[in-house]
Amino acid sequence: MILPSGTENKGIRGFLMSASVYLRLKIELDHGRKAVMVTNVSDGRVKEVDQMKKVGVEKTLITEDQLSKCQGEPLLAKALHAMETSSLQFFQEEDGTFLLIEPYEPMPKMILLGGGAIAVPLAELGAKVGLSVTVADDRPNYANKDRFPQAETIICDEFSSCLAQLILNEYSFVVIVTREHKHDLECLRMVLNNKTAYTGMVGSKVSLSRVKEQLLQEGFSKERIHKIHMPVGLDIGAATPDEIAVSIIAQIIQYRRFLKKALILNGACDRVRNEVDHLVLNALCEDPEEPRALATVVETWGSVPRKAGAKMLIWSYGMTVGSIGGGYAEGELINAAWQIIGTGCSALHEIDLTGQTDEEEGMVCGGRMKVLIEDCSVPK
């Protein structure tokens, strides 16, 4: 396998080095850069759970910058295609080696400009649905960790300075909830000069009409202004801060799940992006000495609860992070993972959701899932 200069490929065996690769991946994503992880299960000796053999697993991290310099190497071309289409690839080469190529993209961020009454429940809901939350306000009493324990980033500064500290891009969901009209305009002017996945602003119809008129007078196009959600949120008759927060997060979820439409409308890109389970990624970077296994859905057929790319981290004592869909499928996977933890093995495990057992468990799916299970234990 020929790799570009600087690519990490050190024949990673055992979880200590693997954890280092995931840490480097997390750093890339935290800086707003895409990357591809290639998992190579050597010699094709990945087996079903009841036929396990000890194998070497290599993990190669290829950054966006390295892929931009791709010069025809077949594997790199496949990795580039995975990144461009945001699609996982799993296949077996002629020598029997299994390759898993996974594109990773930065975590979507919800940026709240203003820390008032609506921002408090909105930050909580945003964190619950998988958004990295940033809160910015110019008042210390409204921009602090006690008020926003779920926020990953809190900025207390003048709004012009706050915005200068933010990276706004196609992964940004911006909600403007400041306390004054002048701050709304200040924030909106700066946001309009960036591409975002979503921008919305709270306000009455009268005040929002004035904002639109002001922006038109300043030279912003009608098309760009039309893409701002004013008033923000789905029209569900919300009245209280909590209800308004629900309407806003519902609209953001709508845009995340129909992200292609959102990004096309905002001119950021023209394709759908797959979702990365950042909770699993964060857990992979922590506590490498604990015995556990990583399960990744690599192929699916028919109706299944989660698609290829879904991940689940399973500890020897039963704790889990992430999900492949719950119910019977997850219980079967946990039992299979327990057989692998501590063995140094990798295994392919197929979960059949079409039979009588699934009906008894209340499952409504009727497909099959193939899952790659990797031992993440530190080698003795």
Side-chain angles (χ1 to χ4, degrees):
M1 179 170 62
I2 302 172
L3 298 170
S5 175
T7 303
E8 297 293 344
N9 181 27
K10 300 182 179 179
I12 299 157
R13 298 171 186 270
F15 186 65
L16 279 177
M17 295 184 73
S18 180
S20 176
V21 169
Y22 281 110
L23 182 58
R24 288 192 291 275
L25 170 61
K26 186 175 184 302
I27 291 171
E28 289 294 311
L29 300 181
D30 287 346
H31 283 81
R33 298 186 292 263
K34 295 177 282 188
V36 174
M37 184 78 77
V38 179
T39 300
N40 181 319
V41 184
S42 61
D43 300 326
R45 290 179 292 170
V46 60
K47 299 293 182 181
E48 300 297 337
V49 172
D50 59 354
Q51 299 176 324
M52 292 185 301
K53 292 183 180 179
K54 195 161 187 174
V55 298
V57 175
E58 297 181 352
K59 287 191 178 292
T60 302
L61 179 64
I62 308 175
T63 66
E64 184 175 8
D65 180 62
Q66 290 162 344
L67 278 178
S68 68
K69 302 171 183 176
C70 176
Q71 297 294 329
E73 157 64 25
L75 178 59
L76 289 178
K78 290 178 180 177
L80 181 61
H81 176 73
M83 178 179 286
E84 290 178 340
T85 61
S86 191
S87 59
L88 176 147
Q89 298 179 42
F90 180 73
F91 55 92
Q92 189 172 17
E93 296 194 306
E94 291 182 0
D95 64 358
T97 299
F98 282 91
L99 287 178
L100 172 63
I101 301 177
E102 299 175 276
Y104 283 85
E105 298 188 341
M107 185 175 185
K109 297 180 181 294
M110 182 172 69
I111 299 170
L112 303 180
L113 300 176
I118 295 172
V120 174
L122 188 53
E124 181 179 357
L125 290 171
K128 284 183 176 179
V129 300
L131 297 169
S132 171
V133 178
T134 294
V135 179
D137 200 291
D138 59 348
R139 301 165 293 176
N141 289 342
Y142 288 81
N144 58 73
K145 199 65 176 176
D146 289 337
R147 185 172 176 84
F148 293 101
Q150 301 87 1
E152 291 192 17
T153 304
I154 299 174
I155 304 173
C156 185
D157 207 337
E158 297 295 327
F159 282 107
S160 58
S161 299
C162 290
L163 288 162
Q165 299 175 53
L166 297 172
I167 299 175
L168 300 180
N169 54 32
E170 62 206 72
Y171 307 101
S172 303
F173 293 79
V174 181
V175 183
I176 300 172
V177 284
T178 75
R179 66 190 182 279
E180 292 184 30
H181 175 73
K182 65 176 183 178
H183 295 315
D184 289 341
L185 267 174
E186 181 181 15
C187 292
L188 198 49
R189 288 188 189 103
M190 297 192 71
V191 172
L192 282 171
N193 289 320
N194 295 271
K195 291 181 178 180
T196 61
Y198 170 100
T199 300
M201 190 169 76
V202 171
S204 67
K205 290 183 178 180
V206 173
S207 65
L208 294 176
S209 178
R210 291 174 181 170
V211 167
K212 291 178 182 179
E213 290 178 7
Q214 179 68 32
L215 292 173
L216 285 171
Q217 291 175 8
E218 293 178 9
F220 290 97
S221 69
K222 288 184 179 180
E223 181 183 9
R224 188 71 184 94
I225 295 171
H226 179 69
K227 294 173 184 176
I228 305 165
H229 296 273
M230 296 190 291
V232 68
L234 296 180
D235 185 4
I236 59 173
T240 68
D242 286 347
E243 291 175 351
I244 294 170
V246 169
S247 75
I248 295 171
I249 207 68
Q251 192 172 58
I252 288 176
I253 290 171
Q254 183 184 59
Y255 265 66
R256 284 187 69 195
R257 299 310 176 194
F258 297 98
L259 198 50
K260 181 175 182 179
K261 177 182 177 182
L263 294 177
I264 290 174
L265 286 174
N266 287 277
C269 79
D270 59 359
R271 63 183 184 277
V272 178
R273 300 190 184 280
N274 283 350
E275 186 175 341
V276 175
D277 193 329
H278 287 267
L279 288 177
V280 173
L281 178 58
N282 290 339
L284 281 166
C285 299
E286 302 169 354
D287 302 323
E289 295 185 3
E290 292 194 14
R292 51 193 178 172
L294 174 64
T296 303
V297 178
V298 294
E299 288 183 297
T300 65
W301 300 268
S303 176
V304 292
R306 296 292 302 275
K307 298 299 184 181
K311 289 183 180 291
M312 185 175 181
L313 197 57
I314 303 150
W315 277 256
S316 59
Y317 52 82
M319 189 178 89
T320 63
V321 172
S323 173
I324 65 161
Y328 165 75
E330 211 152 272
E332 180 179 326
L333 177 64
I334 291 171
N335 287 330
W338 283 343
Q339 299 179 50
I340 290 173
I341 294 173
T343 66
C345 297
S346 295
L348 281 173
H349 184 66
E350 188 167 308
I351 300 173
D352 190 343
L353 302 175
T354 62
Q356 179 66 30
T357 303
D358 305 298
E359 295 178 8
E360 294 173 356
E361 294 289 336
M363 299 293 289
V364 296
C365 299
R368 293 179 292 126
M369 309 169 73
K370 183 174 287 186
V371 184
L372 174 65
I373 309 173
E374 304 171 63
D375 178 29
C376 293
S377 303
V378 175
K380 302 296 183 182

